[in-house]
């Protein structure tokens, strides 16, 4: 019996001394509040306790410090005088294209060209007028217009101008001719120094003459013009101003010399102001020898 139980006892593993028991009970001491001793009243602080925090590194000394890499020497900062900061540069203004020269002339010899058109309106003494020029050729324009002595006389005009000499954009010389028919508010028998006297026109009028213009350099420079005509007037209502002079003729012919000098002052590519001064040199005995003329208007092209 004893020999049979001995092998069974020997086969069970023997527990080694000092080994932790299997399935030990958990440690719950962390759940209990710890006791931290409070410093005594007016007790000097312990500097060594808070300086020796975990992870602190010690400064190497002696031989250990010699093996550390040496940092390059940094030159000391030297103060310098204040330097004036340059002002920001103003961006350059945008470059505009050069203005287009004004070549639209209605009162000189410069034509508007084939297919071009220019119109003008002028107010002054003794006539107000409206003009239009239509180009039928590079050097030929057809003219049409209306003159009025502020309602006392209204005149329809048609004509043409031919630029004989073309000096380019600076100058030109040509010839012009216009014919007109005038309608008077009052008959000649009752009119005394009225529309006929101031305008110099009669029932039918023909005005041939020479025109020219000169423009100064520049796209907006003034353009001077000169217009010298001969006015041949046909009066179909002549009156006899001499007692016992007999019956007046059916048609009376008279002449005058209208002279106009002025300037077209461009304000844009196709528009100009126009100033005209001059007068009519009369040859009729019953009229003044010279009648002054002044007008101001505008000329524009299309």
């Amino acid at each position: 019996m004893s020999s049979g139980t001995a092998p069974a006892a020997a086969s069970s593993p023997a527990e080694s001394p000092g080994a932790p028991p299997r399935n030990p009970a958990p440690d719950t001491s962390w759940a209990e509040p710890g006791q931290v001793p409070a410093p005594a009243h007016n007790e000097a602080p312990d500097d060594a306790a808070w300086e020796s925090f975990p992870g602190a590194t010690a400064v190497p000394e002696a031989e250990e410090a010699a093996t550390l890499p040496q940092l390059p020497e940094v030159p000391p900062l030297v103060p310098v005088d204040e330097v004036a900061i340059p002002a920001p540069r103003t961006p350059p203004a945008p470059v505009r294209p050069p203005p287009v020269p004004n070549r639209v002339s209605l009162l000189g010899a410069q034509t508007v060209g084939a297919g071009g058109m220019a119109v003008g309106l002028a107010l002054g003494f003794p006539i107000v007028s409206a003009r239009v020029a239509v180009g039928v050729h590079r050097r030929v324009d057809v003219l049409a217009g209306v003159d009025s002595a502020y309602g006392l006389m209204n005149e329809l005009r048609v004509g043409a101008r031919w630029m004989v000499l073309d000096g380019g954009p600076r100058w030109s010389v040509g010839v012009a001719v216009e014919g007109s028919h005038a309608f008077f508010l009052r008959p000649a028998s009752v009119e005394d120094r009225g529309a006929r006297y101031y305008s110099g026109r009669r029932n039918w009028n023909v005005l041939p003459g020479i025109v020219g213009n000169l423009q100064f350099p520049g796209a907006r420079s003034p353009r001077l013009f000169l217009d010298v005509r001969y006015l041949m007037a046909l009066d179909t209502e002549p009156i006899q101003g001499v007692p016992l002079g007999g019956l007046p003729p059916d048609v009376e012919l008279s002449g005058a010399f209208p002279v106009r000098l002025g300037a077209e002052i461009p304000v844009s590519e196709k528009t100009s102001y126009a100033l005209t001064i001059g007068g009519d040199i009369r040859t009729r005995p019953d009229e003044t020898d010279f009648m002054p003329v002044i007008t101001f208007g505008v000329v524009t092209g299309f």
Side-chain angles (χ1 to χ4, degrees), residues 47-204:
D47 294 337
W50 65 267
E51 289 181 352
S52 59
F53 56 88
T57 57
V59 179
E61 299 179 357
E63 296 179 358
E64 295 180 358
T67 59
L68 295 176
Q70 299 295 325
L71 297 177
E73 295 184 1
V74 179
L77 298 178
V78 179
V80 296
D81 297 336
E82 294 184 357
V83 179
I85 300 176
R89 298 181 60 184
T90 304
V95 179
R96 296 183 179 180
V100 179
N102 184 301
R103 302 290 181 239
V104 180
S105 178
L106 184 62
L107 304 176
Q110 181 72 40
T111 55
V112 297
M117 184 172 64
V119 296
L121 177 65
L123 303 176
F125 173 84
I127 298 295
V128 296
S129 63
R131 292 282 190 277
V132 59
V134 179
V136 296
H137 187 267
R138 189 180 70 85
R139 294 193 177 193
V140 179
D141 290 346
V142 174
L143 307 175
V146 177
D147 284 0
S148 176
Y150 295 93
L152 299 178
M153 183 274 300
N154 299 299
E155 180 184 33
L156 302 179
R157 304 164 65 108
V158 293
R161 63 177 173 178
W162 173 34
M163 183 172 59
V164 180
L165 301 177
D166 184 6
R170 295 294 305 278
W171 62 273
S172 56
V173 178
V175 295
V177 59
E178 291 181 272
S180 67
H181 180 51
F183 303 89
F184 294 92
L185 183 64
R186 305 181 64 183
S189 58
V190 298
E191 185 180 69
D192 182 21
R193 295 199 174 187
R196 292 173 176 82
Y197 177 81
Y198 288 104
S199 68
R201 315 291 170 80
R202 294 299 184 265
N203 303 94
W204 297 92

Side-chain angles (χ1 to χ4, degrees), residues 273-285:
Y273 292 128
L275 176 64
T276 303
I277 58 175
D280 296 345
I281 303 173
R282 307 282 178 83
T283 60
R284 294 177 63 96

